Amino acid sequence: MLRIGLTGGIGSGKSTVSAGLAERGAVVIDADAVVKELQAPGQPVLAAMVERFGPGILLADGSLDRQAVADVVFTDAEALADLNAIVHPAVGAEIMRRIEAEEGTDHVVVLDVPLLVENEAFEVAAVVVVDTDPEIAVQRLVEHRGFTEDDARARISRQASREQRLARADFVIPNDGDRAALDAHVERCWAWIQELHAGQAPDAAG
Ligand code: ADP
């Protein structure tokens, strides 16, 4: 197994890159998807959240009302800390479990973990950064993802800066051009990953 970290700000094109790497054979572990799975009805994480925040965070069908949770933690730092204390350890453990399941394989495992730059919990052989001009990211979030411009800017300003991300990059995928340009960069990145994998010492291969 070769572990690669993938990071990029919201609207940078990280999900598009992650899908491109998966198409080329990478096993992608997506932290956001893990969070959603662990917050599904019947999961202990959801039960712990209901215990802490009350049944008002559930929709009529028993699924999580994400907006209700967001509303509670937005103005209450203690509630946010409690939420993180419930969700983060469970998500971290599940991601570790998925990594361990790949041990002994020759797979390229891509960790799509938004906080990779902010927290160094997961060991990776290299970090790939999707780098986009924040103005272009704002445009894409407004055009394709239904954000208001203010909301897009606020979300971006709460994340790690472009410079902080680039400082940790072993490979940069620029995404200021069109989709074809992005795909060409993903292809180059995949070739680079293959080289890294081939050069990796057997005892470090996991
Ligand atoms: P992220 O996961 O980083 O938030 P996405 O991959 O979801 O970003 O990209 C944000 C939006 O912009 C999506 O709708 C995506 O299809 C679109 N997008 C990404 N890259 C490009 C590009 N090079 N040209 C045009 N649209 C793009």
Side-chain angles (χ1 to χ4, degrees):
M1 161 181 47
L2 180 75
R3 282 192 299 277
I4 300 288
L6 176 66
T7 181
I10 184 167
S12 65
K14 183 168 63 74
S15 308
T16 309
V17 168
S18 154
L21 293 173
E23 263 169 36
R24 288 166 173 85
V27 174
V28 176
I29 300 178
D30 174 346
D32 288 342
V34 170
V35 170
K36 289 206 173 111
E37 278 177 43
L38 293 184
Q39 291 177 340
Q43 293 289 330
V45 166
L46 184 60
M49 288 171 66
V50 172
E51 174 124 341
R52 166 64 179 84
F53 300 107
I57 62 164
L58 296 179
L59 296 167
D61 67 358
S63 67
L64 182 63
D65 183 346
R66 289 175 200 285
Q67 190 56 49
V69 177
D71 291 345
V72 172
V73 301
F74 189 66
T75 52
D76 184 343
E78 204 175 313
L80 178 60
D82 288 349
L83 175 66
N84 288 341
I86 294 169
V87 176
H88 286 181
V91 170
E94 177 59 20
I95 291 174
M96 276 320 284
R97 199 191 61 70
R98 292 187 189 191
I99 292 170
E100 279 163 15
E102 295 297 331
E103 240 150 63
T105 71
D106 64 353
H107 296 161
V108 171
V109 175
V110 170
L111 296 177
D112 180 351
V113 179
L115 298 179
L116 205 65
V117 168
E118 292 89 338
N119 96 42
E120 299 185 9
F122 301 103
E123 222 181 292
V124 289
V127 174
V128 172
V129 171
V130 187
D131 181 53
T132 304
D133 180 337
E135 289 303 317
I136 295 179
V138 168
Q139 259 175 37
R140 289 196 188 127
L141 290 171
V142 170
E143 255 171 51
H144 303 292
R145 304 251 300 262
F147 281 71
T148 66
E149 188 174 328
D150 283 351
D151 199 16
R153 287 188 195 284
R155 289 288 292 271
I156 289 172
S157 71
R158 282 203 293 272
Q159 296 188 324
S161 70
R162 193 176 186 185
E163 292 71 27
Q164 281 168 324
R165 274 199 195 84
L166 287 174
R168 284 210 53 205
D170 297 296
F171 192 101
V172 177
I173 296 185
N175 187 22
D176 292 343
D178 61 14
R179 285 171 194 278
L182 179 61
D183 199 58
H185 282 292
V186 172
E187 184 64 33
R188 254 173 251 145
C189 179
W190 185 244
W192 179 82
I193 290 171
Q194 294 308 308
E195 262 175 51
L196 195 66
H197 204 180
Q200 194 185 43
D203 60 350

